[in-house]
Amino acid sequence: MPRSVSPEPRRRRSRSRSPVSRSRTSKNDRERDYGRDKEKERRGRQDKERQRSRSRSRSRDRRERSRSRDRDRRSSKPSTSKALAPRPRSRSRSRSASPSEEKNKPPPPNFAASGLLAAESNNFKGIVLKYNEPPEARKSLRNWRVYVFKDGKEVDMFQLNRQSAYLIGRDKIVCDIPAEHPSTSKQHAVIQFRQIWEKNPETGKDKGIVKPFVIDLESANGTMVNEEKIPTSRYYELRSGDGGLLIHL
């Protein structure tokens, strides 16, 4: 008896993709995702630009409305300012001033030192002193003396080692060395000790030496040293042995 032969079942082929096709698919997916992200970014930027333009237009509208309100308020208020008449233009710019204008023209301001402040600071018992000591004023370390003679006789002597300046004159309130002669001014002259820098010839260095000077305070009859009249308002050096310090002519 013949046997029944059944056909063999067909084997399904495996549809596993090759590595090349897999890589192509993943690359296409990445490109698709990248394009989507780019599109989202572009749309987001467009939305931001729209929002900015809307906010700008709103702020512009608010400013315009506030300006219009201010204009309406100003127009509603009554104007109290007087209308100023226009100034007539001068025909010639280089016009010379008339003599009357020159007379009425105020003098220019003078910013020079008036001396009032110095007079207030240099005041002693209500009397304004005519002299101020210089910055180089120093006390003498040597015992200088001034001898006063009258009719060839010594009548008084003053030591000049207690202070740096000595005022000579008729005003006994402020003068250190009073002189009662009628030809002497109230504040006649000053004996001033000053520190002078001289170069030492041996060492070549500067050395400070205190020396006496006399200065005439623009007196009426002037000051004489060794029978020679000295200039006013200038320091004149006194040397040891000068025997003729005269306060009058």
Side-chain angles (χ1 to χ4, degrees):
M1 189 170 179
R3 297 177 179 177
S4 61
V5 180
S6 62
E8 295 180 357
R10 293 182 181 180
R11 296 179 178 178
R12 294 183 179 179
R13 294 179 181 180
S14 61
R15 295 182 180 180
S16 61
R17 298 177 182 177
S18 63
V20 177
S21 63
R22 289 177 182 174
S23 63
R24 288 177 182 174
T25 305
S26 61
K27 186 176 181 181
N28 293 334
D29 294 339
R30 286 195 300 272
E31 289 178 355
R32 194 180 303 108
D33 296 338
Y34 180 76
R36 290 174 183 173
D37 295 340
K38 284 291 183 180
E39 184 67 20
K40 288 181 180 179
E41 290 179 1
R42 186 177 64 81
R43 290 179 180 176
R45 286 196 297 270
Q46 289 179 355
D47 295 338
K48 289 181 180 179
E49 289 294 332
R50 292 193 193 96
Q51 292 177 0
R52 290 176 184 173
S53 62
R54 289 172 185 171
S55 62
R56 290 172 186 169
S57 62
R58 289 173 184 173
S59 62
R60 194 181 302 112
D61 295 339
R62 285 195 295 269
R63 287 197 297 269
E64 290 294 333
R65 285 195 294 271
S66 63
R67 289 175 184 173
S68 63
R69 289 196 211 99
D70 294 339
R71 285 195 294 267
D72 296 340
R73 290 174 185 174
R74 292 172 185 172
S75 61
S76 62
K77 289 182 179 180
S79 60
T80 58
S81 60
K82 298 181 180 179
L84 299 177
R87 295 182 179 179
R89 295 183 179 180
S90 59
R91 296 181 180 178
S92 60
R93 295 182 179 178
S94 61
R95 184 175 62 86
S96 60
S98 61
S100 61
E101 292 179 356
E102 291 181 355
K103 291 181 180 179
N104 297 329
K105 187 177 180 181
N110 185 10
F111 297 102
S114 61
L116 296 177
L117 184 60
E120 288 293 334
S121 61
N122 196 22
N123 195 315
F124 181 76
K125 292 184 179 181
I127 300 175
V128 178
L129 300 180
K130 297 171 60 177
Y131 179 75
N132 289 320
E133 289 195 70
E136 67 273 12
R138 299 290 187 278
K139 288 184 180 181
S140 176
L141 300 177
R142 297 177 59 185
N143 293 327
W144 290 84
R145 298 177 181 177
V146 171
Y147 296 90
V148 181
F149 291 88
K150 184 177 182 180
D151 297 332
K153 295 180 180 181
E154 180 182 342
V155 295
D156 205 349
M157 186 269 294
F158 296 92
Q159 292 185 355
L160 308 181
N161 58 354
R162 295 182 180 179
Q163 55 195 42
S164 57
Y166 294 85
L167 180 59
I168 304 171
R170 287 190 294 108
D171 196 344
K172 295 182 180 181
I173 299 176
V174 296
C175 291
D176 303 298
I177 302 176
E180 298 178 357
H181 199 276
S183 62
T184 307
S185 301
K186 291 184 178 180
Q187 299 180 35
H188 196 103
V190 173
I191 297 176
Q192 177 70 63
F193 289 93
R194 303 167 60 204
Q195 186 179 23
I196 306 300
W197 293 91
E198 294 181 353
K199 183 172 288 186
N200 192 346
E202 297 179 357
T203 59
K205 296 182 180 179
D206 293 337
K207 182 180 180 182
I209 302 174
V210 179
K211 293 184 177 182
F213 293 83
V214 62
I215 181 172
D216 184 78
L217 303 179
E218 298 180 356
S219 60
N221 297 321
T223 305
M224 298 181 67
V225 176
N226 294 331
E227 298 182 359
E228 292 183 4
K229 191 173 183 179
I230 63 173
T232 60
S233 302
R234 290 185 182 181
Y235 288 109
Y236 187 90
E237 184 180 354
L238 296 176
R239 304 178 188 277
S240 179
D242 287 341
L245 177 59
L246 304 179
I247 302 304
H248 58 278
L249 292 175

